[in-house]
């Protein structure tokens, strides 16, 4: 069976400049666009936008430039909006998505996932994007009526028959509607709340050979839920968006605060990071258990290491970094890490 190379890109807001830099370096040095390397590209939030852009055929240079040229426009907030929202995120999202939507419309026009499916030839360029559905429904088998069910992850895919009419603009807004950052979009929020690292979701799709039964999915050899690959024929190149590595509760802090008897006020500070960090680490754990070291390579940058540029060393960088010097520092850090791992990356990707 032919080998499947998977690109997996985490969520992380403008810290997505890190994976964008690494993928651009590969193109600069080897002339290989992600669609020429990977049979499946899976992304969440900023990673979903990157993978959608690549699958659509946008150059690695242009996707990298988006972070420099459009971040201030994407994360734009007016004083009036702050007042209306209760000074920040108290009563409304920190940013409007109107400018963001116009940027996406300029890029993708009215293209849909069907356009991606039509482009993905010769086992290359499939697209998977993770979002989260706040109002999912299912057909009750007993009554044959539609009923609401618990909210859950929603994975969109260029292979799925059900998703062919989904516009790429809507797809990008649904995967990146981070709670408190952007408004809910079409009953969806950022996929990072459950699948910030989409590597495990991509692996599950790659090896799934179950019959679909209702022709909701698409497979070259029939109607299956996945590609039916042997796990030994799968490789995953997983790119993180950098971390402060400070998402923990300091030693002694728990007992100092009411002997660990915590309620809403104590937990609220930690829950947002806990939500994304735990699902990211869980995905990494599962994939590490299932794949050999020569099948799985993850690159993550840590801002608390001595090798991090001084400007960002020890810093906690939000999802909405707009300052050009900070963006450049992250790009430089990604370039330095790439230089150190260049041979290992090319050996892993066999290019």
């Amino acid at each position: 069976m032919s080998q499947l190379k998977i690109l997996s890109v985490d969520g992380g807001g403008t810290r997505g400049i890190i994976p964008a830099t690494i993928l651009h370096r590969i193109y600069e040095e080897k002339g290989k666009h992600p669609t020429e390397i990977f049979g499946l590209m899976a992304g969440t939030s900023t990673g979903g936008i990157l993978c959608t852009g690549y699958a659509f055929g946008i150059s690695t240079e242009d996707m990298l430039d988006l972070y420099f040229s459009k971040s201030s426009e994407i994360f734009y907030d007016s004083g009036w909006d702050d007042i209306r929202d209760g000074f920040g995120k108290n009563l409304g999202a920190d940013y409007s998505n109107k400018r963001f939507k116009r940027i996406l419309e300029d890029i993708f026009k009215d293209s849909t996932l069907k356009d991606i499916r039509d482009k993905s030839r010769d086992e290359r360029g499939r697209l998977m994007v993770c979002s989260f559905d706040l109002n999912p429904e299912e057909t009750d088998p007993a009554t044959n009526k539609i009923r609401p069910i618990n909210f859950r992850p929603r994975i969109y895919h260029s292979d799925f028959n059900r998703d062919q009419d989904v516009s790429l603009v809507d797809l990008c807004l649904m995967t990146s509607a981070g709670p408190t950052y952007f408004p809910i979009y079409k009953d969806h929020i950022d996929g990072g709340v459950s699948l910030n690292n989409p590597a495990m979701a991509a692996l599950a799709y790659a090896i799934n050979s179950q019959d679909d039964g209702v022709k909701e999915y698409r497979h070259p050899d029939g109607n299956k839920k996945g590609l039916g690959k042997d796990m030994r024929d799968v490789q995953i190149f997983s790119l993180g968006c950098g971390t402060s590595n400070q998402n923990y509760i300091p030693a002694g802090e728990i007992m100092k605060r009411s002997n660990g008897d915590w309620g809403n006020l104590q937990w609220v500070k930690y829950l947002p990071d806990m939500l994304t960090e735990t699902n990211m680490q869980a995905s990494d754990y599962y994939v590490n258990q299932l794949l050999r070291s020569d099948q799985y390579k993850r690159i993550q940058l840590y801002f608390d290491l001595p090798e991090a540029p001084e400007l960002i060393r020890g810093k906690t960088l939000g999802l909405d970094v707009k300052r050009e010097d900070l963006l450049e520092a992250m790009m430089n850090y990604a370039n330095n890490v790439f230089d150190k791992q260049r041979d290992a990356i090319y050996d892993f990707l066999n290019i």
Side-chain angles (χ1 to χ4, degrees):
M1 188 174 288
S2 61
Q3 189 179 66
L4 175 71
K5 286 186 173 69
I6 297 173
L7 171 66
S8 173
V9 186
D10 290 9
T14 51
R15 300 199 310 266
I17 197 170
I18 291 168
T21 296
I22 291 170
L23 292 164
H24 182 51
R25 284 293 300 277
I26 293 172
Y27 179 79
E28 278 189 314
E29 296 186 4
K30 296 295 184 180
K32 294 285 188 181
H33 188 271
T35 54
E36 298 177 81
I37 302 170
F38 302 103
L40 173 62
M41 295 178 291
T44 298
S45 196
T46 195
I49 295 168
L50 281 171
C51 289
T52 301
Y54 298 139
F56 189 64
I58 298 173
S59 71
T60 57
E61 182 177 16
D62 285 346
M63 291 306 295
L64 176 59
D65 181 63
L66 275 177
Y67 292 95
F68 287 108
S69 63
K70 299 298 183 183
S71 291
S72 294
E73 212 172 331
I74 291 170
F75 291 102
Y76 173 81
D77 195 26
S78 67
W80 167 245
D81 190 53
D82 262 353
I83 294 172
R84 189 190 65 186
D85 292 343
F87 298 100
K89 307 179 183 186
N90 294 321
L91 300 176
D94 212 2
Y95 305 103
S96 166
N97 58 15
K98 291 179 181 177
R99 294 189 178 202
F100 189 13
K101 187 172 185 178
R102 285 198 294 268
I103 290 168
L104 293 169
E105 287 170 342
D106 287 343
I107 296 170
F108 299 116
K109 304 296 189 289
D110 57 356
S111 298
T112 68
L113 274 169
K114 182 180 186 304
D115 295 299
I116 301 298
R117 174 168 162 173
D118 292 342
K119 289 174 185 283
S120 58
R121 305 295 183 190
D122 302 322
E123 299 289 311
R124 292 288 183 271
R126 288 185 172 93
L127 175 65
M128 170 187 284
V129 175
C130 303
S131 183
F132 193 86
D133 194 347
L134 298 177
N135 186 26
E137 297 176 330
E138 71 174 5
T139 302
D140 186 336
T143 64
N144 206 33
K145 292 181 179 179
I146 301 293
R147 66 174 184 181
I149 53 177
N150 293 337
F151 37 57
R152 61 196 58 206
R154 178 69 152 88
I155 296 176
Y156 291 88
H157 204 306
S158 60
D159 273 2
F160 294 176
N161 289 326
R162 69 181 188 199
D163 295 338
Q164 295 305 290
D165 294 332
V166 175
S167 84
L168 300 186
V169 171
D170 287 348
L171 182 67
C172 289
L173 290 170
M174 287 189 292
T175 189
S176 62
T180 76
Y181 283 93
F182 288 114
I184 296 165
Y185 190 79
K186 293 185 179 290
D187 289 338
H188 284 62
I189 58 172
D190 196 308
V193 300
S194 61
L195 293 169
N196 206 46
N197 173 353
M200 188 62 207
L203 178 59
Y205 176 71
I207 65 175
N208 194 341
S209 61
Q210 296 181 71
D211 235 336
D212 175 7
V214 293
K215 298 185 178 179
E216 190 176 8
Y217 303 85
R218 169 252 203 176
H219 185 273
D221 302 322
N223 293 292
K224 296 183 179 178
K225 290 187 176 181
L227 297 176
K229 293 285 185 180
D230 189 300
M231 194 139 34
R232 292 169 297 184
D233 295 320
V234 176
Q235 275 188 304
I236 299 180
F237 187 52
S238 174
L239 299 177
C241 291
T243 175
S244 67
N245 208 29
Q246 295 176 24
N247 294 323
Y248 56 85
I249 301 174
E253 186 74 11
I254 294 174
M255 298 310 293
K256 265 197 321 189
R257 297 192 187 186
S258 309
N259 293 322
D261 187 12
W262 287 14
N264 292 338
L265 293 178
Q266 291 93 343
W267 277 114
V268 70
K269 174 183 176 182
Y270 299 102
L271 285 177
D273 287 330
M274 192 178 293
L275 196 66
T276 55
E277 191 66 38
T278 51
N279 79 66
M280 203 157 51
Q281 298 297 341
S283 181
D284 183 54
Y285 172 80
Y286 297 141
V287 177
N288 257 312
Q289 298 303 303
L290 293 169
L291 299 183
R292 305 184 309 267
S293 60
D294 63 338
Q295 292 179 277
Y296 178 52
K297 182 170 183 60
R298 177 154 172 87
I299 298 178
Q300 177 66 296
L301 274 58
Y302 297 90
F303 302 146
D304 63 331
L305 294 180
E307 65 187 35
E310 186 176 355
L311 188 63
I312 60 174
R313 191 182 309 141
K315 300 281 181 62
T316 298
L317 300 178
L319 305 180
D320 54 353
V321 173
K322 294 170 279 191
R323 279 174 44 186
E324 190 164 327
D325 57 343
L326 295 176
L327 292 170
E328 284 185 355
M330 287 190 283
M331 183 180 70
N332 292 336
Y333 191 11
N335 275 317
N336 292 338
V337 169
F338 180 86
D339 288 336
K340 291 178 181 177
Q341 297 196 35
R342 177 191 283 107
D343 291 344
I345 290 170
Y346 290 149
D347 284 347
F348 179 80
L349 296 175
N350 195 29
I351 55 175

